[in-house]
Amino acid sequence: MSKMGIIIKDVYKKNVKSTAFVIMILAPFFVMGIFYLSQHFFGDANDISTIGIVTDQPAVAEQLAKTKNKDYTFKTVDGDKKAQQQLEDKKIDAYLDLKIGEDQLSGKLYSKASLGTSTETQLQQILSSMQASIRASQLNLTTAQVQKVMEPAKFDSTKVSFENGEMKSDDGDSGIQFILSFLTTIIMFMFITSYSSIIAQEIASEKGTRIMEVLLSSMKAKSHYYGKLLGVLLVALTQLLIYVVAIVVAFRQFKDLPILQGFINNVSIKSLLGTNVALIIGFMLIGIFLYAVLSALCGSLVSKPEDTAKAVQPVMYLSMIGYMLGLILGASDPTNMIIKITSYIPFLSSYSMPIRLATGTAEMSSAFVSLGILIVFTIFLTAFSAQLYKSNVLVYSEGGAWTALKQSISIMQNNRKAK
């Protein structure tokens, strides 16, 4: 244990003191700072200033030109040719060609570059309002009657739970769980992306050198393997703890802001300390550990440290599949059969099951079964990868990771038979 502790300490200190670790720590704060400054100082800034209007109905053009908008103004232009010339000369940023039929208004926007979905949506809303006014005029409807017809239907959804036969609302807890499941999914993907190559590099760092033979003469291969793995995982845990401390400090600093006050008032102790939340965090931590073990396994199969980037590609692809399933399909359709099946498959369940828990589409018993499968598989893969590392640590194959894997399994089987 003392020798493994030396390995853990050496790996931990080397990575924590590295420039890459400092950059990983500061990168999220740097991105959030840029986002805050851009919204604070340039949130209302817009490069679009003038949009031309081309139509054969002067009254409609004048009505549209009077429309107030803080981002841009409308300008009446006589004919397509003149509008095209002004667009080419950059006197206008775009022009809208309006066609007005008996009961249909249509517009086509021309621009040299995309104006963005926000601007296009605003224009769509303006034209829809104008069309409603035109049809109301044809039907001799008053403004109040038009507003009543256009008023949208009210719709709301509430998640409920039953206690002693009595139904009660459960929206507050599910909202927090849904946000937390999203955050854990993103955090897990970021950590796997950041640390897969680091773990594989650490495992493979001494391969191809004589120092490995010296190390194995004084300590067991498994101890060396576990020391490398745990050292990098402690680095990842340090980064996670730094973010937790930063969130706590930021919360104490800005807790009086109205948006945070509204959040605090809607959050219960049950939602923060409930079983679902503990399970969601458990899936994230075990998922990170499982992917770390797989990365270490891939790193043990390479003959040269420079080949680790290729070796961990399957890990990245597998994590990306789980990420896309959980964040996109799981959020939009949590009852989908694919989400249900993958919520029990190791590597993917860490992404799928938290979403199902947050949306209430999985029972607590199902979550415990999925977590049990994940834990058992993680223990098995950890033991298997350590045994495989013991067999292949001094084996150098030029046939690639797959050839090295088959060769290592063959050596491991022969060693067992010899015993």
Side-chain angles (χ1 to χ4, degrees):
M1 288 298 294
S2 61
K3 293 178 181 179
M4 188 171 73
I6 294 172
I7 296 293
I8 294 173
K9 184 178 178 180
D10 178 67
V11 172
Y12 180 79
K13 289 176 65 176
K14 179 179 66 175
N15 283 279
V16 167
K17 292 180 179 180
S18 67
T19 305
F21 180 76
V22 176
I23 293 173
M24 282 195 298
I25 292 292
L26 297 178
F29 299 107
F30 185 68
V31 171
M32 286 188 290
I34 292 176
F35 179 77
Y36 172 78
L37 291 174
S38 65
Q39 292 297 311
H40 186 74
F41 294 106
F42 308 107
D44 295 330
N46 196 319
D47 288 338
I48 306 167
S49 58
T50 307
I51 297 178
I53 303 296
V54 177
T55 182
D56 55 359
Q57 298 285 342
V60 175
E62 289 178 9
Q63 179 185 350
L64 193 56
K66 292 177 182 178
T67 303
K68 295 182 180 180
N69 192 298
K70 65 179 181 179
D71 294 327
Y72 49 83
T73 58
F74 293 104
K75 172 185 176 183
T76 303
V77 183
D78 298 328
D80 286 306
K81 292 293 184 183
K82 192 172 182 179
Q84 292 171 13
Q85 187 63 47
Q86 290 188 13
L87 181 61
E88 184 180 2
D89 296 338
K90 298 183 180 180
K91 293 181 180 179
I92 58 176
D93 299 295
Y95 75 90
L96 187 64
D97 188 4
L98 287 178
K99 304 293 184 184
I100 304 174
E102 292 183 2
D103 60 350
Q104 180 70 43
L105 185 148
S106 62
K108 189 170 183 179
L109 185 67
Y110 296 90
S111 61
K112 295 174 70 175
S114 174
L115 303 186
T117 56
S118 177
T119 301
E120 292 178 0
T121 301
Q122 289 178 3
L123 292 174
Q124 177 69 49
Q125 291 172 348
I126 291 171
L127 295 183
S128 297
S129 178
M130 291 178 62
Q131 179 168 281
S133 299
I134 293 171
R135 290 182 176 177
S137 177
Q138 292 175 344
L139 298 171
N140 297 320
L141 298 177
T142 64
T143 303
Q145 290 172 325
V146 173
Q147 290 176 349
K148 194 169 184 178
V149 171
M150 297 292 291
E151 184 179 356
K154 292 183 179 180
F155 174 78
D156 194 15
S157 63
T158 302
K159 182 185 172 185
V160 298
S161 60
F162 290 88
E163 188 174 336
N164 298 324
E166 184 179 350
M167 187 177 74
K168 62 178 183 177
S169 175
D170 198 24
D171 269 347
D173 294 343
S174 64
I176 296 299
Q177 292 165 11
F178 195 72
I179 293 172
L180 184 62
S181 65
F182 257 68
L183 288 176
T184 54
T185 297
I186 295 170
I187 290 170
M188 188 166 69
F189 182 73
M190 288 175 56
F191 270 71
I192 291 168
T193 303
S194 302
Y195 284 96
S196 291
S197 297
I198 296 175
I199 291 174
Q201 188 75 30
E202 282 291 343
I203 296 295
S205 58
E206 285 95 5
K207 293 198 72 173
T209 63
R210 291 293 180 183
I211 193 172
M212 197 67 234
E213 297 177 8
V214 176
L215 286 171
L216 293 181
S217 65
S218 59
M219 68 183 304
K220 294 180 179 180
K222 287 185 178 181
S223 298
H224 183 263
Y225 174 83
Y226 286 133
K228 291 277 188 177
L229 179 61
L230 292 175
V232 178
L233 286 173
L234 282 177
V235 176
L237 184 61
T238 300
Q239 183 179 357
L240 192 61
L241 289 175
I242 290 173
Y243 289 156
V244 171
V245 171
I247 291 172
V248 171
V249 172
F251 178 78
R252 292 175 64 89
Q253 186 72 25
F254 302 106
K255 63 182 179 180
D256 295 328
L257 292 176
I259 186 172
L260 285 180
Q261 283 295 320
F263 175 76
I264 294 171
N265 294 334
N266 292 323
V267 173
S268 64
I269 298 297
K270 178 186 174 184
S271 66
L272 291 176
L273 303 177
T275 308
N276 279 13
V277 173
L279 282 171
I280 290 171
I281 295 175
F283 272 105
M284 179 193 73
L285 295 177
I286 297 172
I288 291 175
F289 183 81
L290 177 60
Y291 276 96
V293 172
L294 183 61
S295 300
L297 175 60
C298 292
S300 70
L301 297 175
V302 300
S303 299
K304 296 177 289 185
E306 53 266 28
D307 293 335
T308 53
K310 293 180 181 178
V312 296
Q313 282 183 353
V315 182
M316 301 303 300
Y317 292 144
L318 188 59
S319 177
M320 190 175 297
I321 291 171
Y323 179 75
M324 299 298 285
L325 282 173
L327 205 62
I328 298 177
L329 185 59
S332 61
D333 188 10
T335 60
N336 191 287
M337 185 57 66
I338 295 176
I339 296 298
K340 289 182 178 180
I341 294 173
T342 55
S343 64
Y344 294 97
I345 299 176
F347 294 112
L348 302 180
S349 60
S350 296
Y351 288 106
S352 300
M353 185 55 82
I355 296 292
R356 291 190 64 201
L357 274 173
T359 54
T361 56
E363 298 290 338
M364 192 70 68
S365 57
S366 301
F368 278 115
V369 169
S370 176
L371 187 63
I373 294 172
L374 183 63
I375 292 173
V376 170
F377 184 82
T378 301
I379 294 172
F380 168 77
L381 186 65
T382 303
F384 174 76
S385 61
Q387 187 65 34
L388 205 66
Y389 180 76
K390 179 183 176 181
S391 302
N392 68 18
V393 66
L394 295 177
V395 175
Y396 308 103
S397 174
E398 298 298 331
W402 182 247
T403 302
L405 177 62
K406 292 190 292 184
Q407 187 176 358
S408 300
I409 292 175
S410 177
I411 294 172
M412 185 171 63
Q413 291 174 339
N414 292 332
N415 290 337
R416 286 180 177 177
K417 290 178 181 178
K419 290 181 180 180

